[in-house]
Amino acid sequence: MDETKIAFLILKAKQKLISILVPKIIDIIITKSKIDPNLIMKIMTMDKESAKQGGIDKILEQAGKIGVCIPQGPLQQIVDLRNSMMGTLNTASTTIDTLSKTLDPLKEISDISTTTISTTEIAIPIAKIAVSLLPTPVPPIPHPAIAAGQQIEIVKEVIDTLKFSLNGVKNQINSTQGAVSSINAPLTQMVNLFKVIDKYLLGCDKGNTLKDTLIPLNPSLQALDNIQKQQVINAQNVNTVDFPSSIYKGFILDIVKEPFSPTVNRVKAVAKNPQGIILLQTPLSFTTAPQTLISNIKLIIDLNPNLKAQ
């Protein structure tokens, strides 16, 4: 499938989700449950300071009981509506996740091609020097440097063509990754709003019978929530570099710093499971480009196919 079309489908799914689910969620929270709008605004506008204070889970814990409880009959109607909306959200996020994963083979080809091209470009000047050192044959035998030089020029033309094509592939990848990134924020916000609804429902469940009837987040949404939780941990950890967490093949990727001297730190990329346990890591480095370490940890994950995040 054309990657530009994938990006379009992802953005279209984003708009559809927002237009369908958000009004219904807000109706449940504000109209039916009478939850304080200030609490909702606090959750919807969480920032780094909120993360340092514990994020949404801490905010909801400190809020105590929220909303105005209603009779069991209408409460069950909210449960049914909530489950219907969660089903819609789960299905949409699975579709988006599937679309984004169609890029994985393309990204692998791109990475391999980039390495091959870089290696070949380095080899060309070395080849030219080697050719120039070849002994001059006795006439009329042509100097081997002539034929070799022609071959080197052909290789350069092939590389230039490949680089042009590869740039097109990278642009396609970037457009789709941009679309995926743009939808992760509203998906996370919807997950947070469902947490508000669930706290209200469980707080009003006198018979403790509702918990097992609530449809849970699917793995894609749970992964987003895990990133959110990891960001809270990172915000409270002085050894975590201010670099956004990401997910790759189920692993949560982070950049961590370790003191080298009183004034200098080294950094490394780590791959964690959803429980926050480090399973893989790169060697410590003095690099100031964290994205390089993220690329390295992804390669380490690829080289350990039998190791799973879950």
Side-chain angles (χ1 to χ4, degrees):
M1 185 186 293
D2 176 35
E3 282 70 32
T4 305
K5 188 172 183 181
I6 294 175
F8 172 77
L9 290 173
I10 290 173
L11 292 173
K12 187 176 179 181
K14 168 187 172 181
Q15 293 302 116
K16 186 176 180 181
L17 270 179
I18 292 174
S19 62
I20 291 176
L21 289 188
V22 171
K24 291 182 179 179
I25 293 173
I26 296 301
D27 177 58
I28 287 180
I29 292 174
I30 304 298
T31 308
K32 293 184 171 64
S33 307
K34 303 292 189 299
I35 296 172
D36 184 0
N38 291 324
L39 174 63
I40 307 307
M41 286 303 300
K42 186 175 182 180
I43 288 170
M44 295 294 284
T45 57
M46 287 193 304
D47 54 15
K48 287 183 180 178
E49 286 306 312
S50 303
K52 289 179 181 178
Q53 295 166 13
I56 179 174
D57 296 322
K58 194 68 175 180
I59 291 173
L60 288 177
E61 179 185 328
Q62 292 174 342
K65 187 174 181 180
I66 59 174
V68 177
C69 291
I70 57 179
Q72 196 65 27
L75 192 69
Q76 183 59 50
Q77 292 176 0
I78 292 180
V79 172
D80 295 340
L81 181 57
R82 177 258 183 225
N83 282 343
S84 174
M85 292 191 298
M86 179 59 79
T88 300
L89 188 61
N90 279 340
T91 300
S93 67
T94 299
T95 300
I96 292 164
D97 192 46
T98 301
L99 286 171
S100 65
K101 283 180 179 176
T102 60
L103 281 178
D104 288 347
L106 198 61
K107 285 190 283 189
E108 185 174 344
I109 291 170
S110 172
D111 291 342
I112 292 172
S113 300
T114 300
T115 302
T116 303
I117 288 172
S118 299
T119 303
T120 308
E121 285 183 316
I122 292 170
I124 285 176
I126 298 173
K128 285 184 175 180
I129 294 172
V131 166
S132 68
L133 297 176
L134 290 173
T136 303
V138 178
I141 300 173
H143 197 291
I146 297 174
Q150 291 173 341
Q151 294 298 319
I152 289 173
E153 290 305 314
I154 291 173
V155 170
K156 283 179 64 180
E157 287 185 20
V158 171
I159 285 177
D160 289 341
T161 303
L162 284 173
K163 285 172 73 175
F164 179 80
S165 301
L166 188 60
N167 285 336
V169 170
K170 287 182 176 179
N171 287 338
Q172 291 174 338
I173 292 173
N174 290 339
S175 67
T176 306
Q177 288 178 328
V180 171
S181 297
S182 76
I183 198 171
N184 282 344
L187 282 177
T188 301
Q189 286 187 329
M190 280 190 250
V191 167
N192 288 343
L193 290 175
F194 271 101
K195 286 187 176 185
V196 175
I197 292 173
D198 291 352
K199 180 175 178 63
Y200 166 76
L201 290 172
L202 296 177
C204 294
D205 180 22
K206 297 177 181 178
N208 295 322
T209 58
L210 293 181
K211 186 175 182 179
D212 293 336
T213 67
L214 300 178
I215 295 176
L217 302 175
N218 68 7
S220 298
L221 293 174
Q222 188 60 59
L224 280 179
D225 193 39
N226 287 338
I227 283 185
Q228 183 175 219
K229 290 175 180 176
Q230 188 61 48
Q231 287 171 341
V232 170
I233 294 172
N234 291 348
Q236 297 171 334
N237 184 357
V238 295
N239 290 324
T240 302
V241 175
D242 188 11
F243 189 82
S245 300
S246 59
I247 287 184
Y248 182 70
K249 295 185 176 180
F251 292 90
I252 298 174
L253 309 184
D254 274 313
I255 301 294
V256 176
K257 65 181 178 182
E258 292 188 9
F260 178 74
S261 72
T263 57
V264 177
N265 291 317
R266 291 187 297 176
V267 291
K268 62 182 178 181
V270 297
K272 307 174 185 177
N273 65 11
Q275 290 73 45
I277 298 171
I278 296 177
L279 301 179
L280 295 168
Q281 58 188 330
T282 64
L284 286 163
S285 168
F286 291 104
T287 183
T288 56
Q291 190 56 52
T292 302
L293 295 177
I294 293 297
S295 298
N296 291 344
I297 195 68
K298 287 181 178 180
L299 179 59
I300 293 173
I301 291 171
D302 292 339
L303 293 174
N304 292 273
N306 295 327
L307 182 63
K308 305 298 181 184
Q310 297 182 1

